[in-house]
Amino acid sequence: MTTHEVLNQPPPLVGYDIAQDAALLAAVDREGAGWAVADLHRLGTLGGTAEPQRWADQANRYEPRLITHDRYGNRVDEVEFHPAWHALMDVAVGAGLAGSPWDDARAGAHVARAAGMFTWNQVEAGHSCPISMTYAVVPALRNAKDLAATYEPLLVSRAYDPGLRPPLGKRGLLAGMGMTEKQGGSDVRANTTTATPDGAGAYRLRGHKWFTSAPMCDLFLVLAQAPAGLSCFLVPRVLPDGTRNVFRIQRLKDKLGNRSNASSEPEFDDTAGWLVGDEGQGVRTIIEMVAMTRLDCVIGSASGMRAALTQAIHHARHRRAFGRALAEQPAMRNVLADLAIESEAATVLAMRLAGAVDRAHRGDEAEQAFRRLAIAAGKYWVCKRQPAVVGEALECLGGNGYVEESGLPRLYRDAPLNSIWEGSGNVQALDLLRTLRRSPEALDAYRAEVAGHDPRVDAALAALPRDPDESAARRFAERLSVILQASLLVRHAPAAVADAFCATRLAGDWGHAFGTLPAGVDQQAIVERAAPR
Ligand SMILES: Cc1cc2nc3c(=O)[nH]c(=O)nc-3n(C[C@H](O)[C@H](O)[C@H](O)COP(=O)(O)OP(=O)(O)OC[C@H]3O[C@@H](n4cnc5c(N)ncnc54)[C@H](O)[C@@H]3O)c2cc1C
């Protein structure tokens, strides 16, 4: 540096605890996982160090590579990952973020895992895909008792054991899902892959899939047309006798983001599969997996927003312009506070949904009804907010935010994904309308949750349209989510956050971009609460 001194550049955000997050910790306690807080802080402290941040960068910079054949020309269909990917996966599985809550009798086990996902996903989002699918596969697999008895003990394991080998010889397994085909992803009933009974209790699959992520997983749930209609099958990559099942990976997707994670186009040809659930009930069976991955979409989007927000606040506190720290500039403070409100609303909703899942799986029927509607609304709206929040947070860093090393471009590229997969925006909103019609008890449970705490929330609830049609589906889903978020904030967040949320998101005293909070909001307190520690 012979020409100048480096001045006014913020230090990197390292040496903090990602889990030291007031909104998160209060929610963990409230939703019944206070016992997990020490582990959460350990995970958050690790995530806040330089090494995992390097893993995140490397796993995305050195992308997975498809190896179709070995050196002798044998088909192998493997994907090679950078060691950084394996390091991230090892921590995630070891921290119990994959299948382990299904093997944990403690109340709040799913909440503890959700909080861990929220925390560790802030380090790197791509590897959360196989972690999430492994978590989600268990309830669906339980529709085939024998298969569940065989594989569940390894899906709930905390051992990350990569590589294609016979499943039962491994210390832990990962699972994926193959639904989407070229001609349709939302409308999976259009699947053309066939499944023919082999006469010995299994089926032979023939066809293709257009998006199958994490193809190095050990097991997949795959939809295919059996004699009685669309059905769900367990497809292992390696057969019990050690030979490879046919899983020909044509290519890997060249994606906008999520680049650390491999998403593939596999072909099945005489591929062995075992029926899960009844023949003809494929959608009903796999939807139990999809319900769990939808929860993870909400957690992932809340986590992505929080990761971007903490970077923005950190930068604005250290960077000065026109004689003051950016965070002290009134216009910037309004932006940061507005982002912080959106982030906290997403966090409390994600954790409330995780609590509902936890209690529903322990037999609470009211929570089961509540989660049906609330996850659909949350998946629609929280995922929709992520690109907007991340884009604005990126701008808080100015030009530095546009540069890869800041980490914000990665967060930005990853931001639209949760809204696309596991039910894209419209499909999610339409699903919500279907739930409304088929399960009126879900709306009753939703009303019981949100009503009676605050007149502003009650007024918004009373103004909900009674029978929205398809064209109004998005608006209805958004409103349902915002009302639920408001109700959670008025009960559980400081008044500064809750009042600002109600004034803007419920009552509409707001602009069309972030940074348009009305006068009278205690922006300083809101930013202070959200700052990384
Ligand atoms: C990175 C990535 C990884 C993925 N991994 C997997 C995976 O592991 N396994 C898997 O099975 N799939 C996977 N997918 C596929 C994903 O689930 C689908 O892309 C998604 O479900 C949408 O399906 P589609 O792409 O066929 O779009 P389409 O179904 O063609 O939908 C296109 C658009 O039309 C809208 N739409 C559809 N129906 C209606 C309607 N009735 N009214 C109004 N609008 C409608 C949708 O909301 C969407 O916006 C992945 C996708 C991505 C991007």
Side-chain angles (χ1 to χ4, degrees), residues 151 164-169 202-204 218-219 234-246 270-274:
Y151 295 114
L164 293 183
R165 300 196 304 285
L168 298 184
Y203 289 70
R204 295 281 151 186
D218 302 282
L219 310 170
L234 181 80
V235 172
R237 287 228 45 198
V238 180
L239 296 168
D241 67 4
T243 58
R244 296 262 166 114
N245 207 359
V246 178
D270 207 28
T271 300
W274 283 264

PDB file of all heavy atoms in Angstrom, residues 151 164-169 202-204 218-219 234-246 270-274:
ATOM      1  N   TYR A 151     -34.730 -48.445   7.429  1.00  0.00           N
ATOM      2  CA  TYR A 151     -33.900 -47.266   7.118  1.00  0.00           C
ATOM      3  C   TYR A 151     -33.976 -46.125   8.135  1.00  0.00           C
ATOM      4  O   TYR A 151     -33.044 -45.326   8.226  1.00  0.00           O
ATOM      5  CB  TYR A 151     -34.271 -46.732   5.733  1.00  0.00           C
ATOM      6  CG  TYR A 151     -33.937 -47.710   4.625  1.00  0.00           C
ATOM      7  CD1 TYR A 151     -34.934 -48.305   3.868  1.00  0.00           C
ATOM      8  CD2 TYR A 151     -32.615 -48.041   4.360  1.00  0.00           C
ATOM      9  CE1 TYR A 151     -34.622 -49.204   2.853  1.00  0.00           C
ATOM     10  CE2 TYR A 151     -32.298 -48.934   3.342  1.00  0.00           C
ATOM     11  CZ  TYR A 151     -33.306 -49.519   2.595  1.00  0.00           C
ATOM     12  OH  TYR A 151     -32.989 -50.407   1.601  1.00  0.00           O
ATOM     13  N   LEU A 164     -21.296 -43.623  -2.056  1.00  0.00           N
ATOM     14  CA  LEU A 164     -22.304 -44.603  -2.434  1.00  0.00           C
ATOM     15  C   LEU A 164     -21.850 -46.003  -2.030  1.00  0.00           C
ATOM     16  O   LEU A 164     -20.928 -46.570  -2.617  1.00  0.00           O
ATOM     17  CB  LEU A 164     -22.551 -44.544  -3.946  1.00  0.00           C
ATOM     18  CG  LEU A 164     -23.196 -43.257  -4.462  1.00  0.00           C
ATOM     19  CD1 LEU A 164     -23.456 -43.359  -5.962  1.00  0.00           C
ATOM     20  CD2 LEU A 164     -24.480 -42.933  -3.710  1.00  0.00           C
ATOM     21  N   ARG A 165     -22.511 -46.529  -0.996  1.00  0.00           N
ATOM     22  CA  ARG A 165     -22.253 -47.896  -0.535  1.00  0.00           C
ATOM     23  C   ARG A 165     -23.584 -48.509  -0.119  1.00  0.00           C
ATOM     24  O   ARG A 165     -24.572 -47.792   0.020  1.00  0.00           O
ATOM     25  CB  ARG A 165     -21.279 -47.862   0.674  1.00  0.00           C
ATOM     26  CG  ARG A 165     -19.918 -47.223   0.349  1.00  0.00           C
ATOM     27  CD  ARG A 165     -18.881 -47.554   1.430  1.00  0.00           C
ATOM     28  NE  ARG A 165     -19.283 -47.161   2.757  1.00  0.00           N
ATOM     29  CZ  ARG A 165     -19.293 -45.906   3.219  1.00  0.00           C
ATOM     30  NH1 ARG A 165     -18.944 -44.896   2.426  1.00  0.00           N
ATOM     31  NH2 ARG A 165     -19.663 -45.647   4.457  1.00  0.00           N
ATOM     32  N   PRO A 166     -23.631 -49.824   0.109  1.00  0.00           N
ATOM     33  CA  PRO A 166     -24.914 -50.415   0.537  1.00  0.00           C
ATOM     34  C   PRO A 166     -25.424 -49.691   1.783  1.00  0.00           C
ATOM     35  O   PRO A 166     -24.674 -49.514   2.749  1.00  0.00           O
ATOM     36  CB  PRO A 166     -24.551 -51.872   0.850  1.00  0.00           C
ATOM     37  CG  PRO A 166     -23.321 -52.138   0.032  1.00  0.00           C
ATOM     38  CD  PRO A 166     -22.574 -50.837  -0.040  1.00  0.00           C
ATOM     39  N   PRO A 167     -26.669 -49.235   1.755  1.00  0.00           N
ATOM     40  CA  PRO A 167     -27.161 -48.374   2.830  1.00  0.00           C
ATOM     41  C   PRO A 167     -26.970 -48.969   4.229  1.00  0.00           C
ATOM     42  O   PRO A 167     -26.592 -48.256   5.158  1.00  0.00           O
ATOM     43  CB  PRO A 167     -28.646 -48.208   2.499  1.00  0.00           C
ATOM     44  CG  PRO A 167     -28.760 -48.477   1.051  1.00  0.00           C
ATOM     45  CD  PRO A 167     -27.647 -49.407   0.687  1.00  0.00           C
ATOM     46  N   LEU A 168     -27.243 -50.264   4.340  1.00  0.00           N
ATOM     47  CA  LEU A 168     -27.234 -50.818   5.691  1.00  0.00           C
ATOM     48  C   LEU A 168     -25.826 -50.970   6.261  1.00  0.00           C
ATOM     49  O   LEU A 168     -25.664 -51.270   7.438  1.00  0.00           O
ATOM     50  CB  LEU A 168     -27.997 -52.143   5.732  1.00  0.00           C
ATOM     51  CG  LEU A 168     -29.477 -51.989   5.363  1.00  0.00           C
ATOM     52  CD1 LEU A 168     -30.236 -53.291   5.509  1.00  0.00           C
ATOM     53  CD2 LEU A 168     -30.154 -50.893   6.200  1.00  0.00           C
ATOM     54  N   GLY A 169     -24.822 -50.747   5.425  1.00  0.00           N
ATOM     55  CA  GLY A 169     -23.446 -50.790   5.936  1.00  0.00           C
ATOM     56  C   GLY A 169     -22.938 -49.405   6.326  1.00  0.00           C
ATOM     57  O   GLY A 169     -21.781 -49.257   6.721  1.00  0.00           O
ATOM     58  N   ALA A 202     -41.173 -55.978  -5.488  1.00  0.00           N
ATOM     59  CA  ALA A 202     -40.630 -54.662  -5.842  1.00  0.00           C
ATOM     60  C   ALA A 202     -41.223 -54.199  -7.171  1.00  0.00           C
ATOM     61  O   ALA A 202     -42.122 -54.844  -7.733  1.00  0.00           O
ATOM     62  CB  ALA A 202     -39.109 -54.732  -5.918  1.00  0.00           C
ATOM     63  N   TYR A 203     -40.742 -53.077  -7.677  1.00  0.00           N
ATOM     64  CA  TYR A 203     -41.211 -52.515  -8.947  1.00  0.00           C
ATOM     65  C   TYR A 203     -39.987 -52.158  -9.785  1.00  0.00           C
ATOM     66  O   TYR A 203     -38.889 -51.965  -9.263  1.00  0.00           O
ATOM     67  CB  TYR A 203     -42.043 -51.247  -8.704  1.00  0.00           C
ATOM     68  CG  TYR A 203     -43.403 -51.513  -8.094  1.00  0.00           C
ATOM     69  CD1 TYR A 203     -43.519 -51.937  -6.770  1.00  0.00           C
ATOM     70  CD2 TYR A 203     -44.566 -51.336  -8.840  1.00  0.00           C
ATOM     71  CE1 TYR A 203     -44.773 -52.174  -6.212  1.00  0.00           C
ATOM     72  CE2 TYR A 203     -45.822 -51.564  -8.280  1.00  0.00           C
ATOM     73  CZ  TYR A 203     -45.918 -51.983  -6.969  1.00  0.00           C
ATOM     74  OH  TYR A 203     -47.150 -52.217  -6.423  1.00  0.00           O
ATOM     75  N   ARG A 204     -40.223 -52.026 -11.077  1.00  0.00           N
ATOM     76  CA  ARG A 204     -39.153 -51.580 -11.997  1.00  0.00           C
ATOM     77  C   ARG A 204     -39.589 -50.237 -12.577  1.00  0.00           C
ATOM     78  O   ARG A 204     -40.663 -50.147 -13.217  1.00  0.00           O
ATOM     79  CB  ARG A 204     -38.948 -52.601 -13.113  1.00  0.00           C
ATOM     80  CG  ARG A 204     -38.426 -53.939 -12.611  1.00  0.00           C
ATOM     81  CD  ARG A 204     -36.947 -53.842 -12.348  1.00  0.00           C
ATOM     82  NE  ARG A 204     -36.527 -54.753 -11.299  1.00  0.00           N
ATOM     83  CZ  ARG A 204     -35.301 -54.790 -10.800  1.00  0.00           C
ATOM     84  NH1 ARG A 204     -34.375 -53.965 -11.249  1.00  0.00           N
ATOM     85  NH2 ARG A 204     -34.982 -55.635  -9.859  1.00  0.00           N
ATOM     86  N   ASP A 218     -28.473 -41.278  -0.410  1.00  0.00           N
ATOM     87  CA  ASP A 218     -28.523 -42.744  -0.462  1.00  0.00           C
ATOM     88  C   ASP A 218     -29.877 -43.252  -0.948  1.00  0.00           C
ATOM     89  O   ASP A 218     -29.958 -44.279  -1.617  1.00  0.00           O
ATOM     90  CB  ASP A 218     -28.250 -43.306   0.937  1.00  0.00           C
ATOM     91  CG  ASP A 218     -26.910 -42.851   1.465  1.00  0.00           C
ATOM     92  OD1 ASP A 218     -25.898 -43.432   1.036  1.00  0.00           O
ATOM     93  OD2 ASP A 218     -26.863 -41.897   2.275  1.00  0.00           O
ATOM     94  N   LEU A 219     -30.937 -42.531  -0.571  1.00  0.00           N
ATOM     95  CA  LEU A 219     -32.304 -42.989  -0.845  1.00  0.00           C
ATOM     96  C   LEU A 219     -33.112 -41.849  -1.436  1.00  0.00           C
ATOM     97  O   LEU A 219     -32.884 -40.693  -1.071  1.00  0.00           O
ATOM     98  CB  LEU A 219     -32.999 -43.407   0.462  1.00  0.00           C
ATOM     99  CG  LEU A 219     -32.278 -44.363   1.408  1.00  0.00           C
ATOM    100  CD1 LEU A 219     -33.044 -44.437   2.730  1.00  0.00           C
ATOM    101  CD2 LEU A 219     -32.176 -45.756   0.779  1.00  0.00           C
ATOM    102  N   LEU A 234     -39.617 -45.959  -2.897  1.00  0.00           N
ATOM    103  CA  LEU A 234     -38.282 -45.748  -2.335  1.00  0.00           C
ATOM    104  C   LEU A 234     -37.267 -46.305  -3.325  1.00  0.00           C
ATOM    105  O   LEU A 234     -37.332 -47.480  -3.701  1.00  0.00           O
ATOM    106  CB  LEU A 234     -38.142 -46.484  -0.999  1.00  0.00           C
ATOM    107  CG  LEU A 234     -36.774 -46.270  -0.349  1.00  0.00           C
ATOM    108  CD1 LEU A 234     -36.730 -44.930   0.367  1.00  0.00           C
ATOM    109  CD2 LEU A 234     -36.445 -47.387   0.627  1.00  0.00           C
ATOM    110  N   VAL A 235     -36.360 -45.445  -3.755  1.00  0.00           N
ATOM    111  CA  VAL A 235     -35.330 -45.855  -4.722  1.00  0.00           C
ATOM    112  C   VAL A 235     -33.958 -45.649  -4.076  1.00  0.00           C
ATOM    113  O   VAL A 235     -33.524 -44.504  -3.896  1.00  0.00           O
ATOM    114  CB  VAL A 235     -35.450 -45.022  -6.013  1.00  0.00           C
ATOM    115  CG1 VAL A 235     -34.276 -45.300  -6.951  1.00  0.00           C
ATOM    116  CG2 VAL A 235     -36.764 -45.310  -6.726  1.00  0.00           C
ATOM    117  N   PRO A 236     -33.295 -46.730  -3.713  1.00  0.00           N
ATOM    118  CA  PRO A 236     -31.935 -46.580  -3.181  1.00  0.00           C
ATOM    119  C   PRO A 236     -30.929 -46.470  -4.325  1.00  0.00           C
ATOM    120  O   PRO A 236     -31.139 -47.046  -5.385  1.00  0.00           O
ATOM    121  CB  PRO A 236     -31.710 -47.875  -2.391  1.00  0.00           C
ATOM    122  CG  PRO A 236     -32.655 -48.864  -2.978  1.00  0.00           C
ATOM    123  CD  PRO A 236     -33.757 -48.123  -3.673  1.00  0.00           C
ATOM    124  N   ARG A 237     -29.858 -45.743  -4.112  1.00  0.00           N
ATOM    125  CA  ARG A 237     -28.844 -45.635  -5.163  1.00  0.00           C
ATOM    126  C   ARG A 237     -27.996 -46.903  -5.226  1.00  0.00           C
ATOM    127  O   ARG A 237     -27.484 -47.278  -6.280  1.00  0.00           O
ATOM    128  CB  ARG A 237     -27.956 -44.410  -4.922  1.00  0.00           C
ATOM    129  CG  ARG A 237     -28.708 -43.117  -5.227  1.00  0.00           C
ATOM    130  CD  ARG A 237     -27.942 -42.174  -6.081  1.00  0.00           C
ATOM    131  NE  ARG A 237     -27.282 -42.773  -7.207  1.00  0.00           N
ATOM    132  CZ  ARG A 237     -26.295 -42.190  -7.886  1.00  0.00           C
ATOM    133  NH1 ARG A 237     -25.870 -40.992  -7.518  1.00  0.00           N
ATOM    134  NH2 ARG A 237     -25.720 -42.776  -8.919  1.00  0.00           N
ATOM    135  N   VAL A 238     -27.812 -47.548  -4.066  1.00  0.00           N
ATOM    136  CA  VAL A 238     -27.071 -48.818  -4.050  1.00  0.00           C
ATOM    137  C   VAL A 238     -28.017 -49.882  -3.497  1.00  0.00           C
ATOM    138  O   VAL A 238     -28.703 -49.667  -2.486  1.00  0.00           O
ATOM    139  CB  VAL A 238     -25.804 -48.711  -3.172  1.00  0.00           C
ATOM    140  CG1 VAL A 238     -25.047 -50.040  -3.158  1.00  0.00           C
ATOM    141  CG2 VAL A 238     -24.895 -47.581  -3.686  1.00  0.00           C
ATOM    142  N   LEU A 239     -28.074 -51.026  -4.183  1.00  0.00           N
ATOM    143  CA  LEU A 239     -28.988 -52.092  -3.784  1.00  0.00           C
ATOM    144  C   LEU A 239     -28.394 -52.885  -2.613  1.00  0.00           C
ATOM    145  O   LEU A 239     -27.174 -52.830  -2.378  1.00  0.00           O
ATOM    146  CB  LEU A 239     -29.262 -53.000  -4.989  1.00  0.00           C
ATOM    147  CG  LEU A 239     -29.996 -52.267  -6.123  1.00  0.00           C
ATOM    148  CD1 LEU A 239     -29.998 -53.098  -7.410  1.00  0.00           C
ATOM    149  CD2 LEU A 239     -31.422 -51.922  -5.689  1.00  0.00           C
ATOM    150  N   PRO A 240     -29.260 -53.592  -1.901  1.00  0.00           N
ATOM    151  CA  PRO A 240     -28.768 -54.319  -0.724  1.00  0.00           C
ATOM    152  C   PRO A 240     -27.589 -55.250  -1.032  1.00  0.00           C
ATOM    153  O   PRO A 240     -26.728 -55.468  -0.182  1.00  0.00           O
ATOM    154  CB  PRO A 240     -29.995 -55.110  -0.264  1.00  0.00           C
ATOM    155  CG  PRO A 240     -31.160 -54.298  -0.754  1.00  0.00           C
ATOM    156  CD  PRO A 240     -30.715 -53.668  -2.042  1.00  0.00           C
ATOM    157  N   ASP A 241     -27.515 -55.774  -2.284  1.00  0.00           N
ATOM    158  CA  ASP A 241     -26.400 -56.690  -2.602  1.00  0.00           C
ATOM    159  C   ASP A 241     -25.120 -55.940  -2.993  1.00  0.00           C
ATOM    160  O   ASP A 241     -24.124 -56.567  -3.398  1.00  0.00           O
ATOM    161  CB  ASP A 241     -26.817 -57.661  -3.716  1.00  0.00           C
ATOM    162  CG  ASP A 241     -27.039 -56.938  -5.058  1.00  0.00           C
ATOM    163  OD1 ASP A 241     -26.803 -55.703  -5.124  1.00  0.00           O
ATOM    164  OD2 ASP A 241     -27.461 -57.601  -6.021  1.00  0.00           O
ATOM    165  N   GLY A 242     -25.149 -54.629  -2.921  1.00  0.00           N
ATOM    166  CA  GLY A 242     -23.923 -53.860  -3.195  1.00  0.00           C
ATOM    167  C   GLY A 242     -23.813 -53.363  -4.616  1.00  0.00           C
ATOM    168  O   GLY A 242     -22.942 -52.547  -4.928  1.00  0.00           O
ATOM    169  N   THR A 243     -24.706 -53.837  -5.507  1.00  0.00           N
ATOM    170  CA  THR A 243     -24.653 -53.328  -6.887  1.00  0.00           C
ATOM    171  C   THR A 243     -25.381 -51.983  -6.962  1.00  0.00           C
ATOM    172  O   THR A 243     -26.238 -51.675  -6.131  1.00  0.00           O
ATOM    173  CB  THR A 243     -25.300 -54.314  -7.882  1.00  0.00           C
ATOM    174  OG1 THR A 243     -26.653 -54.538  -7.470  1.00  0.00           O
ATOM    175  CG2 THR A 243     -24.554 -55.639  -7.892  1.00  0.00           C
ATOM    176  N   ARG A 244     -25.033 -51.216  -8.007  1.00  0.00           N
ATOM    177  CA  ARG A 244     -25.673 -49.906  -8.173  1.00  0.00           C
ATOM    178  C   ARG A 244     -27.046 -50.047  -8.812  1.00  0.00           C
ATOM    179  O   ARG A 244     -27.183 -50.736  -9.830  1.00  0.00           O
ATOM    180  CB  ARG A 244     -24.808 -49.012  -9.070  1.00  0.00           C
ATOM    181  CG  ARG A 244     -23.451 -48.681  -8.494  1.00  0.00           C
ATOM    182  CD  ARG A 244     -23.461 -47.324  -7.842  1.00  0.00           C
ATOM    183  NE  ARG A 244     -22.274 -47.178  -7.017  1.00  0.00           N
ATOM    184  CZ  ARG A 244     -21.302 -46.304  -7.263  1.00  0.00           C
ATOM    185  NH1 ARG A 244     -21.381 -45.505  -8.295  1.00  0.00           N
ATOM    186  NH2 ARG A 244     -20.268 -46.215  -6.450  1.00  0.00           N
ATOM    187  N   ASN A 245     -28.029 -49.386  -8.222  1.00  0.00           N
ATOM    188  CA  ASN A 245     -29.327 -49.267  -8.867  1.00  0.00           C
ATOM    189  C   ASN A 245     -29.152 -48.339 -10.080  1.00  0.00           C
ATOM    190  O   ASN A 245     -28.257 -47.496 -10.081  1.00  0.00           O
ATOM    191  CB  ASN A 245     -30.315 -48.659  -7.873  1.00  0.00           C
ATOM    192  CG  ASN A 245     -31.752 -49.060  -8.139  1.00  0.00           C
ATOM    193  OD1 ASN A 245     -32.052 -49.791  -9.090  1.00  0.00           O
ATOM    194  ND2 ASN A 245     -32.655 -48.580  -7.301  1.00  0.00           N
ATOM    195  N   VAL A 246     -29.985 -48.505 -11.102  1.00  0.00           N
ATOM    196  CA  VAL A 246     -29.828 -47.632 -12.281  1.00  0.00           C
ATOM    197  C   VAL A 246     -30.334 -46.226 -11.937  1.00  0.00           C
ATOM    198  O   VAL A 246     -31.517 -46.050 -11.581  1.00  0.00           O
ATOM    199  CB  VAL A 246     -30.613 -48.195 -13.489  1.00  0.00           C
ATOM    200  CG1 VAL A 246     -30.476 -47.257 -14.680  1.00  0.00           C
ATOM    201  CG2 VAL A 246     -30.112 -49.590 -13.826  1.00  0.00           C
ATOM    202  N   ASP A 270     -35.275 -49.815 -15.732  1.00  0.00           N
ATOM    203  CA  ASP A 270     -35.219 -51.060 -14.965  1.00  0.00           C
ATOM    204  C   ASP A 270     -34.657 -50.786 -13.562  1.00  0.00           C
ATOM    205  O   ASP A 270     -33.948 -51.612 -12.975  1.00  0.00           O
ATOM    206  CB  ASP A 270     -34.354 -52.105 -15.698  1.00  0.00           C
ATOM    207  CG  ASP A 270     -34.772 -53.531 -15.347  1.00  0.00           C
ATOM    208  OD1 ASP A 270     -35.963 -53.726 -15.030  1.00  0.00           O
ATOM    209  OD2 ASP A 270     -33.903 -54.425 -15.380  1.00  0.00           O
ATOM    210  N   THR A 271     -35.016 -49.632 -13.047  1.00  0.00           N
ATOM    211  CA  THR A 271     -34.537 -49.210 -11.732  1.00  0.00           C
ATOM    212  C   THR A 271     -35.416 -49.826 -10.643  1.00  0.00           C
ATOM    213  O   THR A 271     -36.646 -49.776 -10.739  1.00  0.00           O
ATOM    214  CB  THR A 271     -34.596 -47.666 -11.646  1.00  0.00           C
ATOM    215  OG1 THR A 271     -33.769 -47.135 -12.674  1.00  0.00           O
ATOM    216  CG2 THR A 271     -34.162 -47.151 -10.289  1.00  0.00           C
ATOM    217  N   ALA A 272     -34.802 -50.401  -9.635  1.00  0.00           N
ATOM    218  CA  ALA A 272     -35.584 -51.048  -8.575  1.00  0.00           C
ATOM    219  C   ALA A 272     -36.161 -50.014  -7.624  1.00  0.00           C
ATOM    220  O   ALA A 272     -35.454 -49.089  -7.194  1.00  0.00           O
ATOM    221  CB  ALA A 272     -34.700 -52.029  -7.802  1.00  0.00           C
ATOM    222  N   GLY A 273     -37.447 -50.162  -7.326  1.00  0.00           N
ATOM    223  CA  GLY A 273     -38.103 -49.282  -6.362  1.00  0.00           C
ATOM    224  C   GLY A 273     -39.063 -50.080  -5.501  1.00  0.00           C
ATOM    225  O   GLY A 273     -39.583 -51.116  -5.932  1.00  0.00           O
ATOM    226  N   TRP A 274     -39.278 -49.615  -4.275  1.00  0.00           N
ATOM    227  CA  TRP A 274     -40.188 -50.296  -3.355  1.00  0.00           C
ATOM    228  C   TRP A 274     -41.324 -49.349  -2.995  1.00  0.00           C
ATOM    229  O   TRP A 274     -41.071 -48.170  -2.672  1.00  0.00           O
ATOM    230  CB  TRP A 274     -39.444 -50.739  -2.094  1.00  0.00           C
ATOM    231  CG  TRP A 274     -38.632 -51.966  -2.344  1.00  0.00           C
ATOM    232  CD1 TRP A 274     -39.015 -53.247  -2.092  1.00  0.00           C
ATOM    233  CD2 TRP A 274     -37.297 -52.053  -2.925  1.00  0.00           C
ATOM    234  NE1 TRP A 274     -38.017 -54.134  -2.476  1.00  0.00           N
ATOM    235  CE2 TRP A 274     -36.957 -53.430  -2.988  1.00  0.00           C
ATOM    236  CE3 TRP A 274     -36.379 -51.131  -3.398  1.00  0.00           C
ATOM    237  CZ2 TRP A 274     -35.738 -53.879  -3.495  1.00  0.00           C
ATOM    238  CZ3 TRP A 274     -35.161 -51.565  -3.900  1.00  0.00           C
ATOM    239  CH2 TRP A 274     -34.856 -52.931  -3.943  1.00  0.00           C
TER     240      TRP A 274
END
